[in-house]
Amino acid sequence: MTNKTELFYLTIHEAHELLKNREISSEELTKAVLDRSRRVDDRVKGFVTITEGFALEQARSADKRLRNGEANPLLGIPVGIKDNMCTRGIRTTCSSRMLEKFIPPYNATVVEKLWETGAVMVGKTNMDEFAMGSSTENSAFYTTHNPWNLERVPGGSSGGSAAVVASGEALYALGSDTGGSIRQPAGFCNIVGLKPTYGRVSRFGLVAFASSLDQIGPMCRDVTDCALVMNVLAGYDNHDSTSIHETAPDYTKALKADLQGIRLGVPKEFFVQGMESGVKNVMEAAIRQLETLGATVDRDVSLTYIPYSLAVYYILAPSEAMANLARYDGVKYGYSADAPTMWESLQKTRQLGFGAEVKRRIMLGTYALSAGYYDAYYLKAQKVRTLIREEFRQAFEKYDALIAPTSPSVPFKIGEKAADPVQMYLSDVCTIPVNIAGIPGLTVPAGFSEGLPVGMQVIGKPLSEEMLLRIGFAYEQATGWQKKRPSL
Ligand code: GLN
């Protein structure tokens, strides 16, 4: 296993063993990863900022801690962090002109937790501007390319995070998920991604998109790694008033290789019209595999409100976004355009600082909240949100988890959907209901269609991350899809 030429493709738990037994140092591992970036990132374009000097410093201090006998699992392991999580002294751009030069004066709670555990940050990853998008094509800087096929998108908005994990430019990454932004890119890049229960991981220091939907989570090479990262991220934080007051379990304890007695449901509404047949075939095989592992599967589940999720999301998310983005006025921080008067400066700042998709969302949200339309749109969407949540709650009285595809298609071509926002929005149709309900969703590699990755989604009730990880773990142990690596 000590294939030192491919250190950059190790899982966290494999690298941890080598670090603990002093077969490699964190500096050596970090250099291997940085070197990999030098060779592939001009093609992948996964990072906005590569923090080489900072990473090497962190690696050396991790090596000191390792020599002193410390052995926490993330110590000395290279990570990529989505560029919407604040890193003190290191620019945090949200892939927007608005924040291109913004250097946060504080760390997000998740970043603080990673520093405490001795993580090594190799860079800040590219994303759709302000996390609005499904392909990274909305980045103000450049599009990230899918390591499995460079002409294809890596998904989004955490496309950079997914791509750097898949390409060996980081051992794992952090992403954020408002409507699918961890799960869809993870599925597109053949890695594991978990969107935790709303409130399970602190949002303090995450640049806000839609505050009632946003959640940070891990993007990893297997389920065990995901559990290890969750052990560090999860927990109450008094800086985030929506954070859940409950101690987090040891997620690795949940990992078992069989699914005896587990009851699964497959809601037919997730198999939407227009879904690619290749995705359907992969899902059918995956579901049979879950049965072989001992689970009972009910294929005849119906959740009648699911089809309204996308409409609800595109009222609520833009409404929250337009309020959250009001702070970019050219005065407090970020980009500021020169103009003779304050109002002109404000206008010009927002005109030049925001890209087209961000402006579209601000307009949608402003419209939905305006007098006369509020009841017809925002209020109604909130009511339907309650119905969706309630329908999921009832389903979880009968099932331990629900199974669905992560996306209706394999990674699409760069440019294919860029001119058609509705087509782009539809690529999250399977992930959005989960954010609407505030429940956890896991995606695991489930196979390939036309040589491109397909993800299987496992959805559970609030705080059932252990159940989801158990199902994902049993599945990956039996299939091994997560071990496949792209040829780059
Ligand atoms: N693609 C969805 C959107 O554009 C979800 C993005 C996300 O989860 N951040 O809003």
Side-chain angles (χ1 to χ4, degrees):
M1 215 230 51
T2 325
N3 181 355
K4 290 207 175 180
T5 58
E6 295 222 326
L7 289 179
F8 53 81
Y9 265 149
L10 295 175
T11 61
I12 296 174
H13 54 95
E14 287 164 349
H16 173 64
E17 280 304 304
L18 298 179
L19 287 167
K20 204 176 60 183
N21 301 332
R22 312 286 272 286
E23 287 179 55
I24 58 168
S25 67
S26 170
E27 189 172 346
E28 192 180 347
L29 176 63
T30 304
K31 281 184 171 158
V33 168
L34 289 167
D35 188 54
R36 174 72 172 169
S37 283
R38 260 191 293 277
R39 276 179 290 133
V40 301
D41 206 56
D42 57 335
R43 283 172 287 154
V44 176
K45 295 192 176 305
F47 288 108
V48 174
T49 309
I50 294 183
T51 50
E52 173 156 3
F54 182 79
L56 290 171
E57 246 172 65
Q58 280 189 322
R60 287 182 201 118
S61 97
D63 281 329
K64 241 180 248 153
R65 288 170 64 172
L66 283 156
R67 279 196 297 274
N68 288 338
E70 263 190 67
N72 43 319
L74 303 189
L75 178 57
I77 312 270
V79 58
I81 298 183
K82 188 176 181 180
D83 213 16
N84 61 351
M85 298 174 209
C86 287
T87 40
R88 183 172 46 232
I90 296 167
R91 79 180 177 139
T92 299
T93 69
C94 282
S95 291
S96 179
R97 295 279 168 224
M98 192 62 94
L99 293 177
E100 194 171 358
K101 297 186 181 136
F102 173 61
I103 299 189
Y106 69 99
N107 283 327
T109 295
V110 290
V111 170
E112 203 58 47
K113 285 182 170 200
L114 287 185
W115 287 187
E116 272 162 32
T117 194
V120 173
M121 182 179 74
V122 286
K124 302 293 298 281
T125 59
N126 196 26
M127 53 187 280
D128 287 293
E129 184 176 7
F130 284 103
M132 298 171 186
S134 311
S135 67
T136 76
E137 288 166 294
N138 295 337
S139 164
F141 308 135
Y142 35 76
T143 298
T144 300
H145 296 244
N146 192 316
W148 289 89
N149 180 331
L150 294 167
E151 275 152 37
R152 305 260 167 174
V153 303
S157 64
S158 314
S161 287
V164 300
V165 175
S167 63
E169 300 179 75
L171 269 62
Y172 70 105
L174 297 190
S176 68
D177 190 314
T178 305
S181 280
I182 288 175
R183 289 160 289 156
Q184 186 253 20
F188 274 13
C189 292
N190 202 53
I191 64 169
V192 177
L194 174 67
K195 186 211 77 85
T197 307
Y198 182 76
R200 179 71 293 186
V201 174
S202 168
R203 290 182 296 112
F204 179 72
L206 169 70
V207 179
F209 163 12
S211 308
S212 79
L213 300 157
D214 299 340
Q215 214 12 229
I216 292 172
M219 302 173 78
C220 299
R221 292 193 179 129
D222 68 12
V223 172
T224 304
D225 281 6
C226 229
L228 291 170
V229 179
M230 276 303 284
N231 280 354
V232 172
L233 300 185
Y236 173 69
D237 177 16
N238 64 8
H239 288 112
D240 173 0
S241 60
T242 60
S243 133
I244 297 174
H245 262 282
E246 199 160 315
T247 43
D250 175 354
Y251 291 98
T252 60
K253 293 232 168 81
L255 309 180
K256 292 196 192 117
D258 77 80
L259 297 178
Q260 289 310 326
I262 304 285
R263 302 158 305 164
L264 300 174
V266 184
K268 48 175 172 274
E269 287 77 8
F270 283 100
F271 292 79
V272 293
Q273 219 190 347
M275 174 169 285
E276 288 177 6
S277 59
V279 173
K280 229 183 260 173
N281 295 341
V282 164
M283 285 308 298
E284 270 157 29
I287 290 163
R288 281 195 300 274
Q289 181 67 58
L290 293 168
E291 284 175 321
T292 309
L293 287 161
T296 56
V297 180
D298 183 350
R299 288 178 169 76
D300 205 24
V301 182
S302 178
L303 298 176
T304 55
Y305 290 112
I306 292 282
Y308 300 101
S309 301
L310 199 69
V312 166
Y313 178 87
Y314 277 99
I315 299 291
L316 298 183
S319 297
E320 295 183 26
M322 80 66 122
N324 276 326
L325 270 56
R327 73 191 66 174
Y328 303 104
D329 54 10
V331 177
K332 294 192 274 293
Y333 38 68
Y335 174 70
S336 182
D338 256 347
T341 68
M342 185 199 78
W343 291 113
E344 285 167 286
S345 161
L346 175 67
Q347 240 172 30
K348 211 165 142 198
T349 295
R350 292 170 70 82
Q351 192 179 24
L352 301 176
F354 290 139
E357 184 60 30
V358 174
K359 287 178 191 157
R360 183 179 293 122
R361 305 285 175 110
I362 291 173
M363 287 189 280
L364 282 172
T366 307
Y367 183 82
L369 291 174
S370 53
Y373 295 105
Y374 179 92
D375 287 357
Y377 294 108
Y378 186 78
L379 187 65
K380 187 165 225 168
Q382 288 291 18
K383 288 180 177 169
V384 181
R385 182 177 195 175
T386 303
L387 294 173
I388 293 168
R389 204 187 273 267
E390 179 55 22
E391 207 173 33
F392 270 118
R393 195 192 60 72
Q394 283 170 12
F396 292 123
E397 284 173 2
K398 279 172 77 179
Y399 308 107
D400 297 304
L402 300 172
I403 303 296
T406 302
S407 306
S409 75
V410 294
F412 42 92
K413 288 209 176 84
I414 291 174
E416 191 180 321
K417 300 190 182 186
D420 186 344
V422 175
Q423 277 310 311
M424 190 68 89
Y425 296 173
L426 278 167
S427 60
D428 293 310
V429 47
C430 300
T431 47
I432 278 177
V434 174
N435 302 73
I436 298 286
I439 54 183
L442 174 77
T443 179
V444 290
F448 291 79
S449 165
E450 301 161 49
L452 293 162
V454 176
M456 170 177 78
Q457 195 180 186
V458 192
I459 302 166
K461 64 181 174 195
L463 296 180
S464 69
E465 282 84 358
E466 290 164 284
M467 174 60 75
L468 306 191
L469 292 167
R470 172 176 174 186
I471 295 166
F473 179 77
Y475 179 78
E476 75 175 16
Q477 292 303 301
T479 61
W481 294 116
Q482 78 286 359
K483 292 192 179 136
K484 297 250 181 281
R485 306 274 181 257
S487 53
L488 256 181

